[in-house]
Structures are given as structure tokens and as C-alpha cells.
Amino acid sequence: MTTSFSRGVGLVSARVAHFDQPLPLRSGSVLPAYDLVYETYGRLNADASNAILVCHALSGHHHVAGHTDPDNIDKTLGWWDNIVGPGRPLDTERFFIVGVNNLGGCHGSTGPKSINLATGKPWGSDFPMVAVVDWVHAQARLADHLGIRQWAAVMGGSLGGMQAMRWAITFPERVRHAIVIAAAPNLTAENIAFNDVARQAILTDPDFHGGHYYAHGSHPWRGLRLARMLGHITYLAEDQMAEKFGRKRRPEAGSYGFDVEFEIESYLHYQGDKFAGYFDANTYLLMTRALDYFDPARVAGGDLAAALAVARAKFLVVAFSSDWRFSPERSREIVNALVHNGQDVAYAEIESEHGHDSFLMDDPHYHAVVDAYMKRIAT
Amino acid sequence: MNLPLGRADFDLIAAWVQPGERVLDLGCGDGSLLRRLIDERGAKGYGVELEDAEVLAAIANGINVIQGNLEQGLAGFDDQTFNHVVLSRTLQTVRHTERILGEMLRVGREAVVSFPNFAYWKNRMAVMSGRMPVSEDLPYEWFDTPNLRFFTILDFESLCAKMGLVIRERQVLDDAGRAVTEEHNFLGSLAVYRLGR
């Protein structure tokens, strides 16, 4: 069943859509105007029936696939390039694929780094709290802008999967398929706890300056680095860490000090440094909070089936065996609710050792499952 | 389960499903039975399957397949959600026999169970001649069979009596898929039951 997924979408560039119509947010605030930066791959067909929205997770963005620098292809590949392209599961010969950076992001869409027109200064921590449903409303306006009345599919992993679920509930008539990967109906207490520690690392960094660090020419780099290191641990699986790093030492080990001695430390420091070098701390705070708040069943008294009952989309739900942050049991809650309602759903639990990050990996069976499902989607 | 699909039991099961009814097929494989129930009978179908390759094939078949292990019961499926819960040629591969039968009648109003009859005369002949039977309905060699339980029509009915399950209908087929009307436990290769509480 595995197709050969060879070519990618090639060189891509982002576009910006500007929206002047104020956007009322879940928190009660209103965003007066905003930009959304997005990329598209493939061609929208004549009746605009082949569009797929790919929603990003915590640290993702609009650059889903292809490369942005022909001289530096590997380093500028999109975050989900392995699944998008001609002959790949999200086949750009059939589908028109849209990636968008969410509000509050730090990759070009309006967010804490952007200038607040009311003050002429960066929003910083004054940027309003955004919820998953707010992103979905903003994405809907982008869909209008692109002439897409109904998505063939809305798809995402982790926080991206939550957006797909939210789309199916908020705009039932605008989604034919919801593809919910490595997600959950809400966060567990443990998950919120990890997010809290990550946020505390940022909030207590002396360089945070109450979120207005731009004005100080500083960035809570240490806090963001710690937040990412912690997050990274939770995206991996214990077995995989043991296999990849075990107790391996660095060449400089043996100093009886607190410098890097173990390979796992070196790896985490590298990941933390890299992330803190390009990501915005305020965005990290907003994105983790949106994760915490996500709970579509809350308005239905905790009854997920009741919350999902309005959905008209067919669902593909995928979970990974070693994902302990968004475990298969949590995905089964979504599946069970849909079955309870008599809604269409297929569920695959992929054997994988890569923990939560599995959803980004190029696993042949996983991709074959998505590929098989996508081939059933009429365009 | 990658069982050869002698479709004779599918014909019977299809006739029992009314349009619009909800069917859960346990061990649904690539979803062939469900595809048929959906297309021919207008049923609303779900399947449970453990094997990766079968789940993939069922998804390609457009089936509502849920990957899971029957040995862990049907937790997550609500009580009395389905009109029929089907276990086609799979009961003999399940370790927790009583639990799965009980679970089927918890989530469904009716359990539809088909299984190969170990007491079929050709199977008896094979054993008499000193070899484990291999047939249309027992297609595996002893060393590669997924079957864990070897039982007969009489055995099964005695378990039903013990569990208080009501046999609403029984159809028995020979190895050519023809209906058997007498000496079921001797002439029948495959048995298909509708069970209730």
C-alpha cells in the first residue's frame, strides 16, 4: 500500500492576507485588525472543493511544506514536508493545501511581536488571549478570502488536531473531513502542569519585563530555553531516549561539575538554544494557554459526544503507542464519542517509538493510513 | 484476521440486517462484510480490527474501522449502541470467550456469531486418520493457526445455556456453503447464530 513519496512541492513563498473586520475573541477582547501569513501548495480546483487546511501545533507555523531557500533546501523545509507533495499522502496533484500561522504566532501573523496600532508599540503581553476557537474563526476568514466555502479536510497533529476538531464543531457545514492526529479532547492535569512549569520559566525570567521585553531590547531567552527543554522531554518516549542517548557521555565528561556530561543534556541544550533563538516567548505563553483552555465538551457539561454531535465531518483519528503526552486512550475518547453519536470515524493506533513527536515522523504505515484515507476523499 | 472469505455466512448475516440498523463487526478484517452491509443493506457499520494491514485495508475500503484488541473487551462502546454485533469466524481466535460474548450483548441487542464446527465429519475423519483437520473453514495448519479454541456446535450451545444466552436463530452450512438441515454437529462445517439475552 505504501506509495513512493519522492518529490516535494519545491520552492515556496508565503503570502499575507490583511483583515480589517474586527475579530471578537473568546476572552471578550476584540482584535481590531490583523494579518495572517499563509502558504499554499497545489491548485484550487474550479469549484474550490479540493482544499485542505493544515493546522499547526504549539511551535509550528504556515510553512508546512517545500523549501524557502534553494541554496539551503534541507534547513528550510516545512515542518510537515514529508506528508505533502505530489504522490505523498497530502497529494498536491489532487489537493490544494493551505498552511497558516495562527494569531498570536511569531512567524508573520499578528501576534505579540506585532505593533499595536493603538499604542504604536509591540503588543507584548497586552496581546489578547487567543483560544483555539478564535484561530478557527480567523482561519474561516482566510478561507473566505481564498474562495473556499468548504474544506475537503481540516487536518492537524497535537494542537493542530484540536483545531480540526474545533472546526468540525464550530463550522459543521464547512468541513467534510476532520483528521485529528495525536490529539486529545482536552489536556489532562499533568499536561497543564507541564505547561505551567514551562510558562513559569518564562514569566520568572528577569528578562521578561512583564512581557514588554521588546522595549528593553531583551528576550527571556533562558526561560524560553528551559520551557522548550521541558516540553521536548515530554514529546519523546522513555524507550526512545534510552536507546538514542542512554547514559552516553560527552567527550568532555568526567569533570565532576555541572557542565554538559551526558549526551541527553547536550541534546536538550541544543534543542533549547535553537528554539529560544527564533521563537517568541509571548507566543509560547499564548499557545500553551490555548492548549490548556481547549475543552469543547465543557459547554456541554463535559459530555464530549454532545459537543461533537453537531459535526457533519467524517473523522480520521490517529494516535501513537508511545505518545504519553496525548495518549491513545485520549484519542479513543474522541472516537468513542463519535461512535456513540453514530458519526463516521476511522481510528488507527500506530506502533511508534517516537512519543508525541511521532506525528511528524516519516513512518511508512502511518503515512499509508493517511494516504488511504485521503484517497477516499472526493474532490 | 486474514481468513479466506467463504461468503456463505455473509449471505445469512446480510439477510438479518435491516436498512438503517447499526452493526459492529468485531475482527472486521478489511471490512468486506461491512462494505456489503452498507452497500446492500443500508446499514450503518463500524468495525474493530487489531492487525495494522487489515486496518489499512479497511480504511482504503471506506470503513469506520477502529483499531483495537478484542481481548481487552469493548470498553468505550456504550451499552446497547448497536442492533447487531458480529463476530464472524473469529470466536475461535479469542482467548476470553465468555467475556467477549458478554460484551457483545452489552453493546448490542443481538450477537451474530459464526465459527467453524470442529465436529464436522471431515474434521473427525482427519483426526481419525491421525492429522489435525485443514479445510475451507479451518484453513490453517496446526503450527500457523490463529485459532486458540477448538469447539463444536454442541459445545457452543452448552456454553450459551450456561451463560443464559438465548439462541434466536441457528444456521448451519457444509463446506460448500449449503444449508444443513439435520445432524448439524456432524454434517455442519460452519455454524451461524443469532443470540440474545
Side-chain angles (χ1 to χ4, degrees), chain A residues 1-2 315-316 332 335-336 338-351 365 368-370 372-373 376, chain B residues 22 24 35 44-46 52-53 55-57 59-69 74-78 81-82:
Chain A
M1 291 296 294
T2 316
F315 280 74
L316 172 66
R332 270 305 295 266
V335 173
N336 295 342
L338 294 165
V339 173
H340 174 92
N341 292 337
Q343 291 161 295
D344 286 309
V345 57
Y347 170 66
E349 187 181 318
I350 311 290
E351 202 62 47
H365 176 61
V369 162
V370 176
Y373 190 86
R376 299 284 307 192
Chain B
R22 287 173 67 168
L24 178 65
R35 189 73 262 155
K44 179 92 202 170
Y46 294 87
D52 284 349
V55 169
L56 180 57
I59 288 173
N61 230 340
I63 296 297
N64 288 324
V65 62
I66 294 156
Q67 189 159 24
N69 188 346
L74 300 176
F77 294 105
D78 294 330
T81 308
F82 298 94

Side-chain angles (χ1 to χ4, degrees), chain A residues 247-263 265:
Chain A
R247 296 184 50 80
K248 271 184 269 178
R249 303 289 186 111
R250 297 285 299 168
E252 62 270 30
S255 62
Y256 292 98
F258 296 108
D259 289 338
V260 170
E261 295 241 344
F262 293 90
E263 287 287 359
E265 295 176 306

